[in-house]
Amino acid sequence: MKTGKISVKAENMLPIIKKWLYSDKDIFLREAVSNASDAIFKFERLVVFGEAQKAENEKMHIDVSVNKEKGTLKISDTGIGMTEDEVVKYIAQVAFSGAVDFIEKYKDIADKNNIIGHFGLGFYSVFMVSDYVELDTLSYKKDAKPVKWICDGGSDYQIGEGERTERGTTLTLHISKDSEEFLDTARIREILRKYCSFISYEITLTDECQEKKEDEKPEIINNISPLWLKNPKDCTDDEYKKFYKDVFHDYMDPLFWIHLNVDYPFQLKGIIYFPRLRENLDLMEMGQIKLYYNQVFVADNIKEILPEFLVVLKGVIDCPDIPINVSRSFLQNDGSVAKISNLISKKVSDKLHSIFKENREEYQKYWDDINLLIKFGCIKDSKFFDRMKDTILFKTTDGKYLTLSEYLEGQKDKDKKTVYYTDNKAQQSVNIDMFKRNGIEVVEFRGPIDQRFAQELEMREEGLKFSSVVSELPDDLVSGKAANEDDVKVLSEIFRKALGKDKLEVKAEYFKNENTPAILTLSEQSKRFADMVRLYGQDFAYKPDDEYVITLNPDHPLIKKVMDMRFDESKKECMNMLCQQIYDIALMSHRDFSKEEKEKFIERNYKLLEMI
Ligand code: ADP
Ligand code: MG
């Protein structure tokens, strides 16, 4: 053995790097295994070019073995190997000078995640967990001799004759005291599964201290041909579902998925899944995109990779064009990540379009699950809105799913461009019935997002209006016959007095085929304002009680009764109670009663019943 010295300026980089990267030490294994995988890849290329020979049936593999007694962790490959010159050059000089550059440039950066690997710092990371490292390697080159290189991470090393008899490299890490966790097979398995589940060459894991049973096959860690690399045409639904469940540990099937296979403007392969969502999303269900670089796991916490509104998606993306060997903060600001995000958004809308066109029924089945996401996306991203607007569905109270144009097309008054909605089916049932009996479809709003989305549509579609069933009585509901003006005046006075609301607006309309005496309406604008105030928990700040308009149906027996009773002084109390009751019943379509209101209502009800 002879000794050598690395000609670098920084003498003490190891302690700095060790301390610096303390939080994600386990990345050293990813680096070592991906170097092994790179070395095999290089060898296979040479074989393809006829520059190296491979024995028939020779299988490329990477073996990781743990020996707790000896305190070693070995990573061995059947790759290209290195000659002595190459070890000196690539390991001792390139890898080390990378470490020096790293220290100089990055010492002030706070974000440590994933920074390793930068400047070829990959190899050097093994020193984070090792007292010293032995590298034993045999190059593919003819007449090459095995080389051994030993180093403790400082600038001195020893180099001499190695022991390997077959082409490839064995890296033996003599694990340091403070890194003993890496002598635990279970821990190593966990790290390998995280980073190396889909690496292209078979990885086995062996515990050297465990006695091997006869015929026992070594444990294989990875799946060398992950589904995303297969041609979408050759993948079955079951394969997609199984892959999803395996990778994301979800017991439920995904709703549907998108298999990405892009060559331009950058290379990207992957599968994006729409998971089944529950009504009330919680953080546990947030999606996750696992990013790979040539099948090596890089990260799954880069939220910029997805448009914000698609956070619930889960998937894998393999992108060899993305600069992985840099810090997370760098990646977040990198243009390629934004490009991926745009690409996913585009692919999602393409996919939805094609399901919509080719299988409307299927699309409708998904709609309840995905509508929230889509609407949110439309609000957040106008490009997405433009792409999706014709496939947005409105669910009617009868359970039909209609696009906006289908809805408007089905209305008698097409030019009005008004969509009638209910945001509380139970409460507003009287009004809904009235609309439906007159042939007007009512769509259901199921939460604040629908309100918000409607506003968005109103802004974008000239003349379009959303109106609640408690906001407006469309012409179709009334006969068009004008009520007698004097009668309206009289009724107005009676109701105002009876209710103690001298500013109440009273109207009269002959309802078409209705047995409802009165309907209370609140202008759409006031209703939205009240809803918003309620949403922010500020009900006390605004109550629209004085803004309701009551529309009476003069044909209704109860209204006729009120008109008759006004001449009889003895019926006055009864008449007032009747008016109050009619008002209150109409009010039920708008809101719940307070405790006092409810007590009054019930008491009055009994009194009226007594009068029968
Ligand atoms: P990078 O992988 O980005 O090139 P590393 O620091 O991880 O940087 O490795 C430095 C160099 O050492 C590699 O480029 C390669 O030439 C050499 N090397 C490392 N590990 C192996 C290996 N297992 N077999 C052959 N060469 C290796
Ligand atoms: Mg590397």
Side-chain angles (χ1 to χ4, degrees):
M1 282 262 174
K2 43 187 178 180
T3 56
K5 196 166 182 77
I6 293 152
S7 55
V8 290
K9 283 166 245 136
E11 284 287 317
N12 267 339
M13 53 195 176
L14 190 60
I16 303 175
I17 288 184
K18 260 191 177 174
K19 195 172 149 219
W20 224 76
L21 296 165
Y22 194 74
S23 61
D24 49 350
K25 268 203 224 168
D26 54 2
I27 225 158
F28 81 91
L29 193 54
R30 174 186 86 178
E31 295 301 325
V33 174
S34 55
N35 281 349
S37 165
D38 289 349
I40 297 176
F41 180 76
K42 285 177 196 161
F43 175 70
E44 293 217 303
R45 293 271 83 188
L46 291 175
V47 172
V48 170
F49 294 134
E51 285 172 31
Q53 263 79 49
K54 180 165 125 175
E56 217 178 311
N57 297 333
E58 193 192 333
K59 209 169 117 197
M60 296 294 128
H61 55 100
I62 299 165
D63 301 304
V64 178
S65 46
V66 191
N67 193 320
K68 201 165 192 159
E69 281 158 23
K70 289 188 183 153
T72 59
L73 176 65
K74 272 192 215 161
I75 299 104
S76 166
D77 65 64
T78 56
I80 189 169
M82 280 175 276
T83 60
E84 183 173 329
D85 288 352
E86 285 166 340
V87 172
V88 170
K89 192 167 161 207
Y90 297 130
I91 302 285
Q93 282 166 10
V94 176
F96 275 62
S97 61
V100 174
D101 282 359
F102 168 82
I103 297 274
E104 280 172 3
K105 296 210 177 164
Y106 283 88
K107 56 176 179 265
D108 301 327
I109 293 182
D111 180 4
K112 301 185 267 266
N113 289 331
N114 263 323
I115 200 158
I116 212 155
H118 200 57
F119 299 110
L121 193 63
F123 180 83
Y124 197 83
S125 65
V126 295
F127 292 109
M128 290 195 300
V129 298
S130 312
D131 284 336
Y132 67 100
V133 167
E134 280 175 80
L135 182 106
D136 200 353
T137 180
L138 177 61
S139 165
Y140 78 98
K141 286 179 185 154
K142 237 178 132 202
D143 304 326
K145 288 199 185 73
V147 184
K148 184 174 250 178
W149 177 87
I150 304 175
C151 181
D152 66 0
S155 50
D156 297 313
Y157 62 80
Q158 287 174 285
I159 194 160
E161 202 175 315
E163 288 141 31
R164 257 196 94 115
T165 51
E166 266 148 31
R167 187 201 65 247
T169 303
T170 304
L171 190 61
T172 308
L173 312 182
H174 294 263
I175 300 293
S176 57
K177 192 110 195 99
D178 61 0
S179 297
E180 271 173 343
E181 57 179 300
F182 301 113
L183 292 172
D184 176 6
T185 312
R187 177 83 174 97
I188 294 300
R189 180 181 299 116
E190 177 197 22
I191 304 172
L192 287 173
R193 288 212 173 128
K194 177 171 177 193
Y195 292 104
C196 307
S197 272
F198 300 110
I199 282 186
S200 356
Y201 307 102
E202 191 175 284
I203 303 170
T204 56
L205 174 62
T206 319
D207 183 340
E208 287 180 0
C209 299
Q210 200 120 68
E211 209 153 318
K212 213 172 148 195
K213 288 179 213 102
E214 220 165 303
D215 282 349
E216 196 185 7
K217 294 225 169 65
E219 176 186 355
I220 297 167
I221 292 292
N222 55 335
N223 166 2
I224 59 173
S225 45
L227 197 59
W228 71 77
L229 293 178
K230 266 176 90 171
N231 189 329
K233 273 186 261 154
D234 301 332
C235 304
T236 66
D237 285 3
D238 284 341
E239 280 176 312
Y240 283 118
K241 287 178 191 169
K242 182 174 183 311
F243 184 77
Y244 172 81
K245 289 179 178 173
D246 288 349
V247 176
F248 296 101
H249 312 293
D250 194 342
Y251 63 93
M252 288 196 294
D253 281 340
L255 278 181
F256 54 90
W257 47 88
I258 305 167
H259 197 145
L260 303 166
N261 193 344
V262 181
D263 276 325
Y264 183 82
F266 47 85
Q267 286 188 57
L268 182 150
K269 286 190 166 73
I271 307 173
I272 305 286
Y273 289 94
F274 265 74
R276 216 166 274 278
L277 304 173
R278 268 147 287 222
E279 285 264 310
N280 298 313
L281 283 179
D282 62 42
L283 280 172
M284 291 296 289
E285 290 173 273
M286 277 302 145
Q288 199 183 46
I289 299 292
K290 291 177 187 277
L291 182 64
Y292 292 81
Y293 172 88
N294 282 330
Q295 299 172 238
V296 181
F297 174 77
V298 179
D300 57 6
N301 50 4
I302 301 167
K303 60 181 196 313
E304 288 76 6
I305 209 156
L306 273 185
E308 193 188 356
F309 62 90
L310 292 177
V311 288
V312 295
L313 300 191
K314 294 181 181 173
V316 291
I317 285 182
D318 193 339
C319 185
D321 287 345
I322 202 167
I324 64 151
N325 290 329
V326 292
S327 74
R328 203 161 73 88
S329 56
F330 184 88
L331 210 49
Q332 283 160 355
N333 297 319
D334 187 68
S336 28
V337 169
K339 274 187 215 145
I340 294 181
S341 162
N342 287 336
L343 180 96
I344 293 177
S345 163
K346 171 88 172 50
K347 293 285 176 185
V348 164
S349 43
D350 288 351
K351 176 73 181 184
L352 290 170
H353 261 275
S354 79
I355 306 176
F356 177 81
K357 264 209 222 117
E358 283 153 30
N359 198 343
R360 172 80 178 253
E361 222 166 279
E362 194 79 358
Y363 186 82
Q364 289 177 185
K365 258 200 264 159
Y366 302 146
W367 186 250
D368 287 343
D369 281 297
I370 62 170
N371 78 92
L372 202 81
L373 207 91
I374 305 299
K375 289 167 187 164
F376 189 54
C378 288
I379 292 167
K380 284 272 169 189
D381 176 350
S382 63
K383 275 197 201 135
F384 188 74
F385 177 96
D386 290 337
R387 292 198 298 262
M388 290 305 300
K389 65 174 194 279
D390 299 327
T391 61
I392 303 284
L393 295 179
F394 293 90
K395 192 177 180 179
T396 71
T397 50
D398 299 330
K400 272 185 270 180
Y401 292 88
L402 305 174
T403 64
L404 181 60
S405 51
E406 286 164 352
Y407 176 91
L408 295 175
E409 204 50 42
Q411 297 302 83
K412 282 185 220 153
D413 195 352
K414 292 188 184 67
D415 300 331
K416 216 171 153 207
K417 281 188 100 171
T418 303
V419 179
Y420 294 99
Y421 71 90
T422 171
D423 52 6
N424 192 333
K425 238 170 128 175
Q427 196 169 59
Q428 299 163 354
S429 64
V430 173
N431 301 52
I432 297 172
D433 277 354
M434 205 164 150
F435 277 67
K436 284 207 300 210
R437 256 180 285 165
N438 288 290
I440 304 174
E441 294 273 15
V442 175
V443 306
E444 254 183 86
F445 278 10
R446 305 185 83 177
I449 185 89
D450 285 321
Q451 235 99 5
R452 180 69 189 75
F453 183 66
Q455 282 173 28
E456 196 70 23
L457 280 172
E458 286 172 338
M459 277 184 321
R460 287 165 188 268
E461 301 271 326
E462 183 74 34
L464 181 69
K465 226 172 67 185
F466 281 82
S467 184
S468 138
V469 290
V470 294
S471 302
E472 184 193 334
L473 293 182
D475 296 344
D476 281 329
L477 301 193
V478 295
S479 70
K481 186 173 85 177
N484 178 306
E485 261 179 57
D486 292 336
D487 287 355
V488 180
K489 252 188 217 153
V490 170
L491 280 169
S492 189
E493 202 134 307
I494 296 172
F495 271 82
R496 282 178 178 174
K497 260 203 195 129
L499 296 161
K501 293 177 187 290
D502 49 352
K503 289 203 188 80
L504 179 70
E505 190 180 340
V506 182
K507 287 182 179 173
E509 297 276 9
Y510 292 94
F511 298 165
K512 261 191 221 167
N513 58 36
E514 276 309 327
N515 36 23
T516 309
I519 291 282
L520 216 54
T521 53
L522 179 64
S523 77
E524 182 65 20
Q525 202 188 350
S526 301
K527 176 179 161 33
R528 287 188 195 182
F529 188 61
D531 288 342
M532 194 183 76
V533 165
R534 191 167 339 112
L535 190 64
Y536 291 106
Q538 308 272 308
D539 319 35
F540 56 87
Y542 172 71
K543 280 215 166 56
D545 278 11
D546 292 332
E547 293 175 46
Y548 292 115
V549 174
I550 191 164
T551 304
L552 306 169
N553 178 6
D555 262 354
H556 194 277
L558 283 180
I559 303 299
K560 285 184 176 152
K561 209 168 215 163
V562 169
M563 284 297 266
D564 291 345
M565 284 198 275
R566 73 192 149 130
F567 299 114
D568 188 341
E569 201 53 37
S570 70
K571 298 262 173 71
K572 194 122 187 229
E573 199 203 337
C574 179
M575 180 188 77
N576 285 344
M577 282 197 291
L578 197 52
C579 293
Q580 290 160 3
Q581 209 69 357
I582 290 171
Y583 184 91
D584 275 0
I585 291 173
L587 183 62
M588 281 181 194
S589 287
H590 285 266
R591 62 168 176 80
D592 296 336
F593 287 168
S594 69
K595 180 172 172 287
E596 290 74 25
E597 284 170 335
K598 192 172 171 184
E599 281 163 6
K600 259 194 196 158
F601 176 81
I602 292 171
E603 196 187 302
R604 192 191 312 126
N605 211 28
Y606 287 141
K607 266 196 200 158
L608 279 169
L609 289 174
E610 274 170 32
M611 289 176 185
I612 295 172

